[in-house]
Amino acid sequence: MDIGKLIKRILSLFKSNSALWQGVPLINIYCLRLLYTLMFLVLGKDVWTYIFTHTGGWEPNKAMSFSVWASFSLLAFLGILQPLKLLPILLLEIAYKLIWLILVAYPLWLSGNLEGSSAEGMTAAFAWVILPILFVPWKYAFKTYVLPEKRD
C-alpha cells in the first residue's frame, strides 16, 4: 500500500462525518464501540456468571446492584450497534464512578486507609473510568444533551 494513501486513511479517522455520525470523528465511534464491547464482554461475563450460578435467596441491595450491572451489559451490546444513541449509558457510568471515587476512595486514600480496605479492588476497577472520559465525544454530548437545538 502506498504510504501516502495509508496516511490519508489514518487522518480520515480523525475527521468528522456530518452525514454518517452527526459530526463525530470516526475514531471516536471506533473507541466508543471498543468501550461498549469491553463493557459487554468483561462486565457481562462477571455479572451473568454470578447471576446464573447464584444459589439461595438474594439480599435485596446486592440483587439490585447485579440487576443494574446486568442491564449495563445488555445496553452495552446495543451500544456496539448504535454508539451515539447509547452515549447516555457511558455518561451514567462516568458519573457514578466519579462520584464513588470522590465519596469513598478519595477519603480512604487521604487517610492512608485505602490499601487493604474492602474498597481497594473497586477503586482499581473504577479508575478505568478514564477511558470513557477520554473517548466520549464531549462536543457532541454537550450539544445533544445539555444544549439541544430547539425544534419547532
Side-chain angles (χ1 to χ4, degrees):
M1 178 180 246
D2 180 14
I3 192 74
K5 287 182 181 179
L6 178 62
I7 292 172
K8 283 183 182 180
R9 282 194 78 174
I10 291 171
L11 291 176
S12 73
L13 293 174
F14 296 92
K15 293 181 182 174
S16 62
N17 184 331
S18 298
L20 186 59
W21 295 110
Q22 300 174 14
V24 175
L26 194 55
I27 190 75
N28 284 86
I29 301 301
Y30 287 143
C31 290
L32 288 173
R33 285 189 166 144
L34 173 65
L35 285 173
Y36 292 123
T37 301
L38 289 173
M39 284 174 66
F40 176 69
L41 294 176
V42 176
L43 178 65
K45 178 192 168 287
D46 291 345
V47 169
W48 289 105
T49 299
Y50 188 86
I51 288 172
F52 289 132
T53 60
H54 179 78
T55 57
W58 281 92
E59 190 275 315
N61 286 332
K62 192 168 192 170
M64 184 273 307
S65 297
F66 276 91
S67 297
V68 169
W69 290 329
S71 299
F72 262 89
S73 71
L74 294 176
L75 290 170
F77 178 76
L78 295 177
I80 297 167
L81 305 173
Q82 296 289 330
L84 293 178
K85 287 184 180 178
L86 272 287
L87 198 55
I89 200 73
L90 288 180
L91 299 176
L92 177 62
E93 178 188 20
I94 291 168
Y96 86 77
K97 287 182 177 182
L98 287 178
I99 290 168
W100 190 91
L101 287 168
I102 291 166
L103 294 178
V104 178
Y106 185 65
L108 286 171
W109 178 76
L110 277 180
S111 67
N113 295 319
L114 179 60
E115 189 174 337
S117 74
S118 61
E120 184 179 18
M122 193 169 285
T123 302
F126 279 19
W128 286 99
V129 73
I130 191 68
L131 290 179
I133 290 171
L134 291 174
F135 295 157
V136 164
W138 289 105
K139 182 178 176 183
Y140 169 84
F142 189 78
K143 285 182 357 186
T144 304
Y145 301 110
V146 179
L147 293 175
E149 292 180 16
K150 295 180 182 176
R151 296 181 186 182
D152 294 329

